[in-house]
Amino acid sequence: MTQKQKALSKEEEILLQDFSRNVSTKSNALFYGNAFIVSAIPIWLFWRIHFMDLLTSSPLFLIITCLSTYLVSFAYKKTKFVLKHKVAVKREDAISREISKMIAEDKKMNKKEKDERVLWKKNEVSDYEATTFSIFYNNALFLAVVIGLSFFLLKSFSPSFNYILSVGLSSGLIALLSTGTK
Amino acid sequence: MDNWLKICIVVVFAVATTGNEEATPAKLLFSKQILNKYLVEGMDIVIKYSLFNVGGTAALDVQVADNTFGPQDFEVVGGQLKVTIDRIPPGSNATHVVVIRPSKYGYFNFTAAEVSYLPSEDAAEALVGLSSEPGQGAIVPFKEYDRKFSPHLLDWLSFAVMSMPSLVLPYALWYSSKTKYEAIMTQKKDK
């Protein structure tokens, strides 16, 4: 009875993980780290091309980078959650085939254990692919919108205003787009 | 007799008019032009001085001097601000070009240069004249000009290099996983 309960709770745990919007601490660190790096990259453009002074503009750079880091990591999490389920559906067959191949010689393993392992692997692979694609997709979109805004739409604005609007609006836009369900 | 009279009248007129032309002293028209479209701090400005002799005699010992560009604000990088032209024949022109470089930015009033010349060979006093004035011009800071016109190729290249890890790495990781599981599916279909 106790073992059954344990087995059920393990399966429930995996299912909960699968459907949960919460990310692990490791994923959180990965998201915030990537978001910080990508939010800091536009500072180079504004320093070298728009000739913003690094020292005098450093408080502004810090505030906007922090805001952008939060919004970009928000976008990563939301996008990852949406993608994870799509990836899980796509990879289900391939993963169960892979697991079957791996445990073919292990005759001690029963069907339930095999299903658990497939579920766990499916969660892991879909989490991995969704995370990496979410980071790539949001980074590309963020940088493209920053360049489009700062060098085309907002080029006649003063450099400080240009920076606030282009980075702020880009991170806001990707955060907004990530809340879509499709 | 009639023909002879006509010839005499023509000769008298010719002598009279020739005598009148030789008497017209030299008269110089002097213009000063800035050939640049943009005036930028630390970048060359080309000034063209043009002298036109509209008088009947050659202008002699023509001395052009432009004292409007102080050494604290401008550096002469080509030509000279004071030149002497020995002679400008009647009906002809002379030009002189100077290249200067402003060391400061801001509004600058481009005023007239001076010219002095002898209007004829036996003139006792030189005539002094002023050129046209180009007027006020804005010398923009180099930063603004560079921001507007420089291609910043090296800066863009550096940006591309900095952005690559954020884009290429996640994509490569996703792609390797994707191809691995798609390969498994392809193998299954083949079997």
Side-chain angles (χ1 to χ4, degrees), chain B:
Chain B
M1 182 64 180
D2 284 340
N3 283 339
W4 178 243
L5 189 60
K6 281 176 191 172
I7 290 164
C8 284
I9 291 165
V10 166
V11 167
V12 164
F13 269 121
V15 167
T17 49
T18 312
N20 284 342
E21 272 179 14
E22 279 174 0
T24 311
K27 187 176 178 181
L28 292 182
L29 301 180
F30 188 19
S31 81
K32 176 177 170 181
Q33 284 173 283
I34 297 169
L35 300 183
N36 284 43
K37 194 175 174 186
Y38 294 101
L39 306 176
V40 185
E41 173 201 9
M43 289 179 68
D44 296 346
I45 295 176
V46 182
I47 317 281
K48 182 181 172 188
Y49 304 93
S50 306
L51 296 142
F52 301 88
N53 187 357
V54 295
T57 330
L60 304 170
D61 192 29
V62 179
Q63 295 183 9
V64 174
D66 194 341
N67 301 312
T68 61
F69 301 114
Q72 64 275 15
D73 296 327
F74 293 92
E75 182 196 346
V76 179
V77 289
Q80 293 173 36
L81 292 172
K82 289 182 182 176
V83 288
T84 303
I85 302 168
D86 291 333
R87 179 190 159 85
I88 301 177
S92 65
N93 58 14
T95 55
H96 175 62
V97 172
V98 176
V99 180
I100 56 170
R101 197 174 284 162
S103 50
K104 294 175 190 167
Y105 62 88
Y107 286 99
F108 184 79
N109 200 12
F110 292 89
T111 51
E114 291 169 11
V115 66
S116 72
Y117 61 98
L118 295 170
S120 61
E121 273 184 24
D122 49 1
E125 254 180 55
L127 286 179
V128 175
L130 295 173
S131 71
S132 57
E133 291 183 10
Q136 194 180 62
I139 300 172
V140 300
F142 181 74
K143 261 189 190 177
E144 257 187 56
Y145 176 81
D146 201 29
R147 189 178 155 223
K148 206 173 171 186
F149 293 104
S150 173
H152 293 281
L153 287 174
L154 209 60
D155 297 326
W156 280 108
L157 199 66
S158 310
F159 171 75
V161 167
M162 280 191 292
S163 308
M164 280 305 114
S166 303
L167 297 172
V168 169
L169 212 61
Y171 182 79
L173 292 171
W174 168 78
Y175 190 75
S176 69
S177 174
K178 175 186 175 258
T179 47
K180 175 187 166 189
Y181 288 103
E182 281 182 353
I184 293 172
M185 287 305 290
T186 318
Q187 279 174 13
K188 182 187 175 186
K189 279 180 189 172
D190 288 346
K191 282 185 181 174

Side-chain angles (χ1 to χ4, degrees), chain A residues 28-76:
Chain A
N28 238 348
L30 185 71
F31 282 158
Y32 276 103
N34 270 285
F36 180 75
I37 290 168
V38 87
S39 300
I41 288 171
I43 293 175
W44 170 263
L45 287 179
F46 283 89
W47 173 42
R48 298 292 297 181
I49 298 175
H50 291 288
F51 289 106
M52 278 180 79
D53 186 48
L54 258 186
L55 279 174
T56 52
S57 308
S58 55
L60 180 67
F61 285 148
L62 199 66
I63 293 166
I64 300 297
T65 303
C66 289
L67 175 71
S68 175
T69 301
Y70 172 76
L71 289 170
V72 171
S73 61
F74 176 87
Y76 286 158

Side-chain angles (χ1 to χ4, degrees), chain A residues 116-147:
Chain A
E116 247 177 47
R117 204 174 265 205
V118 167
L119 193 62
W120 170 81
K121 185 72 179 175
K122 193 174 79 170
N123 185 55
E124 199 188 61
V125 169
S126 55
D127 195 86
Y128 178 82
E129 282 196 25
T131 301
T132 50
F133 192 80
S134 167
I135 292 174
F136 161 73
Y137 173 78
N138 284 297
N139 284 356
L141 194 61
F142 174 75
L143 290 174
V145 176
V146 164
I147 290 169

